[in-house]
Amino acid sequence: MFTMKLRKASAAAAAALVLSLTATACGGGDGDNEGGSGSGGGDKIKIGIKYDQPGLGLKEPDGTFSGFDVDVATYVAKELGYDADQIEFVETKSADRENALKRGDVKFIAATYSITDERKKSVDFAGPYLLAHQDLLVKTDSDITEATDLNGKNLCSVTGSTSAENVKNDFAPKANLKENSGYSECISSLQSGTVDALTTDDSILAGFASQEQYKGQFKLAGLKLSNENYGIGVKKGDTETLNKINAALEKMVSSKAWDKAVTDNFGPANYKNEPAPKIGVIVQ
């Protein structure tokens, strides 16, 4: 009789332990949905990036990711307490970045996300972590050295981009603007000679020019037609994450990991990058 009671008690205790562990696991799941906060905040972290920008944020054919934004995001995530295999990169297109943060789809976004006063109304920005400039990409033997040289020539950019309009309105009103759905189409047109130049941020141009199939074919004109301060977007009011990311970026710069990421991703295009920007300092 005593043995039977002991077995029943042991079974009850085991059942209670299972329920307790199940409840704990469920609680950990909430942290995963929110992207986690590092150091035990969840099993994974979701980070928004671009999937179609070589040198910055690119999803490779084998499913891996590469680019400067990817390297920055990976370094930051590590400082937040996550290993590389705990990172889930989520595609966040330009038009959906603010909503992705509001919905909690991602913990933060590193996706050529220029800091502007308008965006700061709905998003908090860590950084900046890169100062880019609008520039021109031309063939290596091109005689285009100034934006005004584009008068009477063909200029390419993506549909809806403000970059080409800036050039046409402010520097070369007689340029013939050709719009394509993506930068890859513009690169093909530049390669074939259908257009004479492609314009957007120099970091994006350098990324395309650095691709193996284009090495030696293109060069950056080296113009600074605008200042683009890339920041890491976080949900409005998430000061804790914001401060942790800023600390991570400062460490990335001081440890020279930032310089290595620039060389690894933009080096082949002879990209003359600006020095690492100071946290919180926006260049107008």
Side-chain angles (χ1 to χ4, degrees):
M1 178 70 73
F2 177 78
T3 303
M4 292 179 62
K5 287 182 178 180
L6 182 59
R7 287 175 178 170
K8 289 180 180 180
S10 298
L17 178 59
V18 170
L19 289 173
S20 175
L21 291 173
T22 302
T24 301
C26 291
D30 293 339
D32 293 345
N33 292 336
E34 293 176 2
S37 58
S39 299
D43 292 332
K44 63 184 177 180
I45 183 170
K46 295 182 179 180
I47 302 172
I49 62 167
K50 293 289 183 65
Y51 275 18
D52 59 353
Q53 292 183 341
L56 287 154
L58 182 69
K59 185 174 183 179
E60 303 284 0
D62 63 359
T64 60
F65 299 92
S66 66
F68 182 72
D69 284 347
V70 173
D71 288 350
V72 170
T74 300
Y75 187 96
V76 168
K78 181 180 178 182
E79 292 300 306
L80 295 181
Y82 295 91
D83 293 328
D85 60 0
Q86 293 176 295
I87 298 173
E88 180 181 342
F89 287 117
V90 179
E91 182 177 24
T92 50
K93 297 182 178 181
S94 296
D96 194 45
R97 287 180 296 203
E98 286 81 14
N99 288 330
L101 288 170
K102 289 179 181 178
R103 292 191 303 260
D105 295 346
V106 293
K107 190 66 174 177
F108 65 82
I109 294 175
T112 58
Y113 206 177
S114 295
I115 302 171
T116 66
D117 290 338
E118 184 63 28
R119 286 171 177 165
K120 286 194 290 186
K121 293 177 182 178
S122 55
V123 174
D124 284 337
F125 284 99
Y129 65 90
L130 183 71
L131 176 60
H133 306 284
Q134 185 183 339
D135 200 356
L136 303 176
L137 187 70
V138 297
K139 284 189 173 182
T140 52
D141 61 353
S142 173
D143 59 358
I144 296 174
T145 58
E146 301 290 342
T148 53
D149 294 337
L150 290 169
N151 281 310
K153 296 187 177 180
N154 297 323
L155 173 67
C156 190
S157 194
V158 299
T159 303
S161 168
T162 59
S163 298
E165 290 297 336
N166 290 342
V167 171
K168 190 171 175 60
N169 294 337
D170 300 335
F171 303 102
K174 295 182 180 179
N176 303 312
L177 177 59
K178 308 290 184 181
E179 292 185 304
N180 283 312
S181 59
Y183 291 115
S184 295
E185 290 89 341
C186 282
I187 288 286
S188 296
S189 296
L190 182 60
Q191 190 176 35
S192 67
T194 306
V195 300
D196 301 291
L198 161 61
T199 187
T200 187
D201 296 355
D202 54 6
S203 57
I204 297 174
L205 296 175
F208 275 102
S210 294
Q211 288 188 291
E212 189 66 36
Q213 66 268 36
Y214 299 132
K215 286 181 180 177
Q217 297 185 41
F218 307 119
K219 66 180 180 181
L220 293 168
L223 308 181
K224 297 181 179 180
L225 304 179
S226 71
N227 293 323
E228 306 295 335
N229 298 270
Y230 290 174
I232 293 182
V234 301
K235 188 174 183 179
K236 192 71 176 177
D238 189 357
T239 306
E240 181 182 358
T241 299
L242 184 74
N243 292 338
K244 287 181 179 179
I245 293 177
N246 277 332
L249 291 175
E250 289 177 341
K251 183 176 179 180
M252 186 176 188
V253 171
S254 64
S255 68
K256 304 300 182 181
W258 186 90
D259 296 287
K260 184 178 185 304
V262 169
T263 301
D264 289 347
N265 293 290
F266 303 126
N270 195 28
Y271 176 50
K272 295 177 175 61
N273 63 283
E274 296 280 2
K278 301 294 185 182
I279 298 300
V281 178
I282 306 299
V283 178
Q284 301 297 333

